[in-house]
Amino acid sequence: MHLEKVPRVSRISKESFLKEYYRPQKPVIIEKAIEHWPAYTKWNLEYMREVAGSKVVPLYDDRPVDHKDGFNEPHARMKMADYIDLLKREPTRYRIFLWNVLKEVPELQKDFEYPDFGLRLMKGLPMLFFGGRDSYTFMHYDIDLANIFHFHFQGEKEVILFAQSENEFLYKVPHSLITHEAIDFSAPDLNAWPALRHASGYRAQLNHGEVLYMPEGYWHHMRYLTPGFSMSLRAIARNPRNLSRAFYNLLVMRNYDGVMRRLKGQKWIDWKNQQAIDRTHKRNSGSLR
């Protein structure tokens, strides 16, 4: 794979962000955008235990998709205090995914604000994500193809990004938002997945207080190098093609996939995974010889 470093800036004006990154749809890390937030100094695992320790949280791991799984159905549940103990005690694959701050712990909203980067952020959807050392997400893109601002807290996280223009090389699973789950994007076997040799993307490491801008529909794979957590704020896709795809994903693709899982069971999942390989190799047949 051809991975370049995500550009970094210390701070950036709204005008410069729109001109240099949003309009050309390029990612960027802003290092010192939130130092004035109370969250910058307050948000760590112990603080989350203090304000949300009694909350029962949904947990996800890296097991392959099963036809019995519902859309975003958790693999386990645990009290936040017990989960934080687990994070600090030992490596774990369990992650918290799409945990709504406003719904679950409204008082956390006092610790941050909605920055003005020139995009209208969806203020009802601030989402938290937690992970233990070496836990990771499958390479995926978000169902609404939104512009995403990803704020990281405590520890370090590795991020690998691809634009939608790289789809033909990524072993995208049809009727899904993921690539083939057997690929380890942190250290892919290019003999097993030869089309990845032609993929061009970005790699970054996020540290406490840094903000990653991910343009509309960007694929992202995230691995926690140490226990930590992040918050995402999002702005609706403005590209008409991306916006129409978002509606298709929400209204058609998700429901169609659910029906096929019920009708065909695991055969549907296995067929999709094989199609990810067959279609990718067919599209790249000339360059893989």
Side-chain angles (χ1 to χ4, degrees):
M1 299 188 296
H2 308 283
L3 300 178
E4 60 180 280
K5 291 184 178 179
V6 174
R8 287 177 168 269
V9 297
S10 178
R11 295 180 175 85
I12 194 167
S13 67
K14 174 173 64 176
E15 293 75 19
S16 294
F17 169 76
L18 292 173
K19 178 182 177 181
E20 297 173 26
Y21 299 104
Y22 170 69
R23 293 192 185 103
Q25 288 287 278
K26 293 181 179 180
V28 64
I29 293 172
I30 309 169
E31 297 174 336
K32 297 181 179 181
I34 66 168
E35 288 184 335
H36 61 291
W37 288 8
Y40 182 79
T41 53
K42 292 169 64 175
W43 281 22
N44 55 39
L45 292 175
E46 283 304 314
Y47 181 67
M48 290 297 159
R49 179 210 293 274
E50 178 184 331
V51 298
S54 62
K55 295 285 184 179
V56 176
V57 294
L59 301 175
Y60 303 81
D61 58 26
D62 55 6
R63 72 188 68 180
V65 171
D66 187 277
H67 75 282
K68 297 177 183 178
D69 295 338
F71 188 79
N72 285 344
E73 181 180 348
H75 299 134
R77 296 182 185 274
M78 188 181 296
K79 282 190 175 182
M80 176 66 90
D82 295 331
Y83 175 63
I84 290 175
D85 287 341
L86 177 63
L87 291 183
K88 300 177 74 172
R89 183 173 66 246
E90 61 192 43
T92 176
R93 298 297 195 192
Y94 279 135
R95 297 175 292 106
I96 297 177
F97 173 71
L98 289 176
W99 202 59
N100 191 311
V101 173
L102 295 180
K103 178 181 177 182
E104 301 295 342
V105 191
E107 64 211 78
L108 287 175
Q109 189 179 4
K110 300 175 184 177
D111 294 338
F112 68 91
E113 60 189 48
Y114 295 88
D116 183 7
F117 291 118
L119 303 181
R120 182 176 295 179
L121 298 173
M122 292 185 272
K123 295 186 176 181
L125 295 173
M127 296 294 184
L128 286 179
F129 305 79
F130 290 70
R133 191 179 79 199
D134 292 331
S135 64
Y136 62 89
T137 65
F138 294 120
M139 182 65 75
H140 69 286
Y141 66 93
D142 286 15
I143 194 167
D144 59 355
L145 287 89
N147 295 275
I148 300 172
F149 296 91
H150 196 68
F151 305 78
H152 188 61
F153 298 93
Q154 185 153 355
E156 301 171 345
K157 176 188 277 189
E158 179 189 65
V159 183
I160 296 174
L161 303 172
F162 294 101
Q164 287 285 314
S165 59
E166 302 301 302
N167 283 8
E168 63 183 300
F169 309 120
L170 297 181
Y171 296 90
K172 180 184 184 301
V173 177
H175 311 295
S176 299
L177 306 170
I178 62 173
T179 61
H180 199 291
E181 297 163 307
I183 301 173
D184 177 3
F185 274 90
S186 291
D189 181 347
L190 298 180
N191 292 318
W193 311 100
L196 291 179
R197 290 191 177 98
H198 305 287
S200 296
Y202 297 89
R203 186 192 296 269
Q205 182 172 307
L206 286 178
N207 304 298
H208 177 83
E210 295 181 339
V211 185
L212 169 65
Y213 167 63
M214 292 185 285
E216 296 179 12
Y218 257 53
W219 293 91
H220 44 284
H221 164 86
M222 299 194 175
R223 181 182 295 270
Y224 291 85
L225 303 179
T226 64
F229 61 100
S230 306
M231 179 178 71
S232 281
L233 300 178
R234 59 206 310 111
I236 193 170
R238 293 190 179 181
N239 182 304
R241 184 170 181 269
N242 290 337
L243 194 57
S244 64
R245 289 180 61 196
F247 281 115
Y248 172 81
N249 290 341
L250 289 162
L251 301 176
V252 179
M253 184 274 288
R254 179 170 60 177
N255 294 318
Y256 177 72
D257 185 62
V259 169
M260 295 304 289
R261 289 189 192 202
R262 291 193 294 272
L263 292 176
K264 293 193 173 184
Q266 192 60 32
K267 289 182 179 179
W268 172 245
I269 303 298
D270 295 340
W271 176 84
K272 291 201 302 176
N273 286 332
Q274 187 59 48
Q275 285 295 301
I277 298 171
D278 293 346
R279 294 182 185 187
T280 300
H281 287 172
K282 183 177 180 180
R283 285 193 294 265
N284 294 277
S285 58
S287 60
L288 299 182
R289 293 172 184 169

